[in-house]
Amino acid sequence: MDTYDLLTRNVDEVVTDEEVREVASDPDGKRVYVGYEPSGVLHLGHLLTANKLIDLQNAGMQVVILLADVHAYLNGKGTFEEIRETAEQMRAQFLAYGLEESQTEFVYGSSYQLEEDYVLDVHELELSTTLNRAQRAMAELQGDETAKVSHVVYPLMQALDIEYLDLDLAVGGMDQRKVHMLMREELPKLGYDARPCLHTPIVADLTTGEGKMSSSTGVTISMEDSMADLEEKVNSAFCPPTRDPEGDLENPVLELFEYHVFPRFERVLVERPDKYGGDLEYDGYEALAADLGSGKLHPADAKGTLASYLDELIAPGREKLREIRDE
Ligand SMILES: Nc1ncnc2c1ncn2[C@@H]1O[C@H](COP(=O)(O)OP(=O)(O)OP(=O)(O)O)[C@@H](O)[C@H]1O
Ligand SMILES: N[C@@H](Cc1ccc(O)cc1)C(=O)O
């Protein structure tokens, strides 16, 4: 696979194609980041951005993970102390999942966001950005009468992080795209360069197929889950026979096959007794989705197979976490 294809596989949006091709032409040592508000356990939604970071690391890029403690604080996620503690757990999970420690830099937001230069630049952005523009960057704030001032400072700081962390590329889920668009509009006003971005798809809530898999609501799958947990959760998943690109509902089982299983396994084997037609084998996502659509593959068999592949995927991380905790 050529470098551009590796950088952009499984992404929903590339901003802009030309700029990302430029990064792909010489990726060695170029810096890319994802920022995360610390939350207890990483779920498969978060790990989609981690998969992308692993691709970028394999292409030779230097990965920066921002543990966005100040942002979590601005978002009302707890006391600073509590947030710092969860951030440490999160760091261990990323390494357990497969990011290469020597090529991954973990940075706490608070290590530079409270410095004078940064704070003055935040104020500069407050002066140059309209309230309306900052509000638009935070989709969930639309029309919310209780939105706080902290919620509009938040995207300005996120934009500035991209300059202060000296990045060549920013990665985030599709839910971060509006903040990145604000970054592209506002940084040049301060004399800084707008940076290219990659946006990864959002995995839907497992049991409803609506919205996103989220730490705060619904059922999430994480590296803490045992095979029994995985089976129970995947069995409860929403799995209609087809994905409806026009509709509001997604098929989370197919999404997990597409974004987590197929990028990591060349071949997927669905084991079935002979009386149910015997084993099925897939070397790509499309064929599996087509068989689910035609009824050749039963949702129960798809779910059982998904659970065992997810187990294989998270087992090394689960083991490593256990070791870290026992130390
Ligand atoms: N379900 C998901 N699918 C894909 N990416 C996700 C998903 N949930 C979060 N992300 C990505 O992980 C990063 C952190 O997101 P966020 O803090 O919103 O997740 P969360 O911990 O589930 O939060 P919340 O509890 O507020 O829903 C972002 O880059 C986001 O795009
Ligand atoms: N906005 C991101 C967190 C984040 C914070 C600061 C950044 O620079 C980047 C990302 C989220 O929703 O989780």
Side-chain angles (χ1 to χ4, degrees):
M1 193 182 290
D2 84 1
T3 311
Y4 175 82
D5 291 343
L6 179 62
L7 260 57
T8 55
R9 75 165 169 174
N10 284 330
V11 309
D12 262 6
E13 187 181 39
V14 175
V15 186
T16 62
D17 194 58
E18 197 186 337
E19 291 169 46
V20 172
R21 280 186 190 280
E22 171 87 34
V23 174
S25 69
D26 182 19
D28 244 3
K30 292 230 164 79
R31 292 166 64 81
V32 56
Y33 98 137
V34 178
Y36 302 87
E37 285 182 28
S39 63
V41 284
L42 291 176
H43 57 65
L44 289 182
H46 297 133
L47 292 176
L48 216 91
T49 47
N51 285 348
K52 183 46 43 199
L53 290 177
I54 292 173
D55 284 344
L56 298 167
Q57 202 162 59
N58 288 337
M61 294 185 77
Q62 173 72 19
V63 164
V64 180
I65 292 191
L66 175 69
L67 300 167
D69 51 355
V70 177
H71 281 89
Y73 190 63
L74 282 170
N75 211 2
K77 294 283 170 75
T79 66
F80 217 68
E81 199 107 301
E82 288 161 351
I83 293 168
R84 287 299 287 255
E85 213 164 288
T86 16
E88 265 313 301
Q89 291 171 26
M90 214 170 188
R91 178 181 190 280
Q93 291 179 54
F94 278 115
L95 295 177
Y97 188 63
L99 278 156
E100 183 53 53
E101 191 162 9
S102 61
Q103 263 177 281
T104 310
E105 200 178 308
F106 289 90
V107 182
Y108 280 95
S110 56
S111 69
Y112 64 92
Q113 290 163 346
L114 306 172
E115 303 276 328
E116 184 173 327
D117 285 1
Y118 184 94
V119 173
L120 286 177
D121 268 350
V122 174
H123 293 326
E124 189 84 34
L125 273 182
E126 289 163 358
L127 277 166
S128 61
T129 313
T130 64
L131 195 52
N132 182 284
R133 182 68 193 86
Q135 252 171 331
R136 269 196 290 129
M138 302 290 274
E140 64 274 23
L141 293 187
Q142 300 301 312
D144 180 352
E145 293 293 319
T146 65
K148 301 289 195 307
V149 174
S150 59
H151 290 130
V152 287
V153 175
Y154 184 116
L156 303 184
M157 288 179 56
Q158 187 166 337
L160 213 50
D161 290 340
I162 293 167
E163 168 66 25
Y164 275 71
L165 292 169
D166 196 18
L167 301 170
D168 299 290
L169 181 66
V171 172
M174 280 298 275
D175 56 344
Q176 306 298 309
R177 67 179 305 283
K178 288 188 175 168
V179 180
H180 287 158
M181 294 308 157
L182 176 135
M183 174 276 290
R184 292 181 60 89
E185 282 165 42
E186 300 297 328
L187 281 189
K189 293 187 189 162
L190 269 62
Y192 302 138
D193 290 335
R195 312 302 209 279
C197 316
L198 295 176
H199 298 136
T200 50
I202 296 295
V203 177
D205 178 75
L206 201 62
T207 49
T208 62
E210 285 177 306
K212 69 185 219 11
M213 183 180 281
S214 151
S215 312
S216 25
T217 52
V219 175
T220 58
I221 293 179
S222 78
M223 267 187 285
E224 312 246 307
D225 287 322
S226 64
M227 180 62 192
D229 294 334
L230 284 171
E231 277 175 340
E232 191 186 324
K233 289 179 181 183
V234 173
N235 275 334
S236 72
F238 179 62
C239 186
T242 49
R243 289 173 80 170
D244 170 11
E246 308 300 328
D248 293 332
L249 297 183
E250 251 304 342
N251 179 326
V253 172
L254 284 181
E255 285 185 320
L256 293 176
F257 268 116
E258 183 174 15
Y259 304 135
H260 277 294
V261 177
F262 280 105
R264 297 286 195 98
F265 297 90
E266 277 179 12
R267 211 174 54 98
V268 168
L269 182 70
V270 178
E271 293 183 60
R272 294 189 309 189
D274 285 342
K275 64 173 172 172
Y276 295 123
D279 294 352
L280 290 168
E281 214 174 294
Y282 299 100
D283 58 10
Y285 162 77
E286 298 298 338
L288 184 145
D291 277 2
L292 187 77
S294 71
K296 186 172 171 197
L297 172 64
H298 191 276
D301 290 324
K303 288 178 179 183
T305 305
L306 178 63
S308 61
Y309 278 88
L310 288 179
D311 185 59
E312 210 173 311
L313 207 72
I314 63 177
R318 185 167 59 208
E319 191 49 40
K320 214 159 169 189
L321 275 183
R322 208 172 286 146
E323 283 167 24
I324 294 169
R325 292 206 173 126
D326 291 344
E327 268 169 19

